[in-house]
């Protein structure tokens, strides 16, 4: 605890040098690294832990999973919101309403405020706000939020990236932009 505030020290290495079990310190360091909001990462790395966008089709009983706003590698380019079963496109109002509901579920999950003890032997879970990082039950492990603000930020950013047409077209090459512009049905859908 005395060395912890010094920037650049590794708690797992210090515990190993002192002859202590360093596995719990490594686990807590790994949890801290996954909870960061690193904007410098590529979108694939930043969104790898995000839940995919799955919308029920407006016209049939199937579920459409949206991976990107549009597939420009296909000829002609196809919308990412096209149903694989019936081939129809949901309306933009329907997509906006579903995205709002999905975003609200993630925000509610964050505000539920559940904390979990990192010690595998303890597994203590509560919704009470912890007074310290130490687990109140086992007094050994650290407690962390089940759904952190970094996870919420990444999930909401991922949902935004699926419907942000302007930033999507900025990432395309000029050849693909002309292919996208030559598909009038995509302009109507997107």
């Amino acid at each position: 605890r005395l060395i912890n505030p010094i920037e650049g020290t590794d708690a797992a290495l210090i515990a190993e040098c002192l002859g202590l079990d360093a596995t719990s310190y490594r686990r807590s360091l790994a949890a801290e690294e996954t909870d960061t909001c690193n904007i410098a990462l590529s979108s694939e790395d930043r969104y790898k832990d995000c839940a995919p966008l799955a919308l029920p089709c407006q016209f049939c009983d199937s579920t459409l999973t949206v991976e990107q706003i549009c597939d420009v590698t296909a000829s002609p380019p196809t919308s990412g919101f096209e149903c694989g079963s019936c081939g129809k496109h949901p309306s933009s109002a329907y997509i906006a309403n579903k995205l709002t509901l999905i975003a609200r579920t993630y925000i509610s999950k964050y505000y539920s405020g559940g904390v979990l003890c990192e010690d595998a032997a303890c597994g203590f879970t509560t919704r009470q706000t912890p007074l310290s990082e130490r687990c109140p039950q086992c007094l050994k492990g650290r407690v962390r939020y089940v759904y952190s603000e970094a996870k919420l930020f990444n999930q909401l950013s991922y949902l935004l990236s699926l419907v942000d047409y302007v930033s999507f077209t900025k990432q395309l090459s000029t050849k693909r932009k002309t292919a996208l512009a030559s598909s009038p049905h995509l302009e109507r859908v997107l």
Side-chain angles (χ1 to χ4, degrees):
R1 277 187 249 151
L2 296 174
I3 302 172
N4 193 21
I6 300 173
E7 190 174 326
T9 58
D10 185 11
L13 181 65
I14 293 170
E16 198 171 291
C17 291
L18 294 174
L20 301 171
D21 183 24
T23 56
S24 63
Y25 293 103
R26 284 192 189 102
R27 253 189 266 126
S28 65
L29 284 174
E32 285 177 7
E33 289 173 0
T34 58
D35 280 349
T36 58
C37 284
N38 195 348
I39 296 176
L41 290 175
S42 68
S43 60
E44 292 85 23
D45 292 335
R46 192 169 58 164
Y47 301 143
K48 68 179 184 213
D49 295 329
C50 293
L53 176 61
L55 299 172
C57 180
Q58 188 177 6
F59 304 103
C60 64
D61 291 333
S62 66
T63 302
L64 54 119
T65 304
V66 181
E67 296 176 2
Q68 58 186 0
I69 194 168
C70 150
D71 185 13
V72 290
T73 59
S75 180
T78 58
S79 169
F81 290 94
E82 183 177 328
C83 179
S85 298
C86 64
K88 294 183 179 180
H89 302 278
S91 68
S92 57
Y94 178 79
I95 294 171
N97 286 337
K98 288 296 179 183
L99 278 173
T100 302
L101 290 174
I102 290 170
R104 285 180 183 169
T105 58
Y106 291 119
I107 293 169
S108 297
K109 187 176 180 180
Y110 168 73
Y111 280 118
S112 69
V115 292
L116 172 72
C117 179
E118 290 179 341
D119 190 5
C122 177
F124 178 69
T125 305
T126 184
R127 286 185 52 193
Q128 293 179 347
T129 304
L131 297 175
S132 69
E133 290 184 350
R134 181 176 280 177
C135 176
Q137 186 164 348
C138 71
L139 301 176
K140 294 178 186 175
R142 286 181 50 193
V143 292
R144 63 176 175 84
Y145 285 98
V146 176
Y147 199 73
S148 66
E149 61 266 1
K151 288 181 183 177
L152 176 66
F153 175 77
N154 285 337
Q155 184 67 49
L156 294 179
S157 297
Y158 173 67
L159 292 176
L160 177 64
S161 73
L162 291 177
V163 295
D164 191 3
Y165 183 73
V166 174
S167 66
F168 177 75
T169 54
K170 284 181 184 177
Q171 296 171 359
L172 295 177
S173 65
T174 55
K175 182 180 177 183
R176 290 190 176 166
K177 283 182 185 178
T178 57
L180 187 63
S182 66
S183 299
H185 72 283
L186 286 180
E187 285 292 326
R188 188 172 28 88
V189 173
L190 301 173

